[in-house]
Amino acid sequence: MSKAHRGKGIAGTYNRGRGTCPVCKKDGVKVLYEQEINGEKVKICKVCKASIKNGKTA
Ligand SMILES: [Zn+2]
């Protein structure tokens, strides 16, 4: 397993992977996780990714 969402893995991404999460509206978080919401692919933060996976959101 590589650390795709840490360190050098995100250095080349937009704003180093940081931005505003479209789900929880938090800014300055790392939005690195692709998730399909309402048929649209969006990048969300780790927390939201986990809660969606657990069936808590969306
Ligand atoms: Zn979020």
Side-chain angles (χ1 to χ4, degrees), residues 21 23-25 29 44-45 47-48:
C21 173
V23 180
C24 63
K25 313 290 181 198
V29 293
I44 59 171
C45 74
V47 176
C48 295

Side-chain angles (χ1 to χ4, degrees), residues 20-42:
T20 307
C21 173
V23 180
C24 63
K25 313 290 181 198
K26 239 193 247 179
D27 61 0
V29 293
K30 289 190 283 184
V31 279
L32 299 167
Y33 300 82
E34 255 184 14
Q35 179 69 42
E36 224 177 87
I37 298 169
N38 302 324
E40 223 183 309
K41 267 219 169 139
V42 289

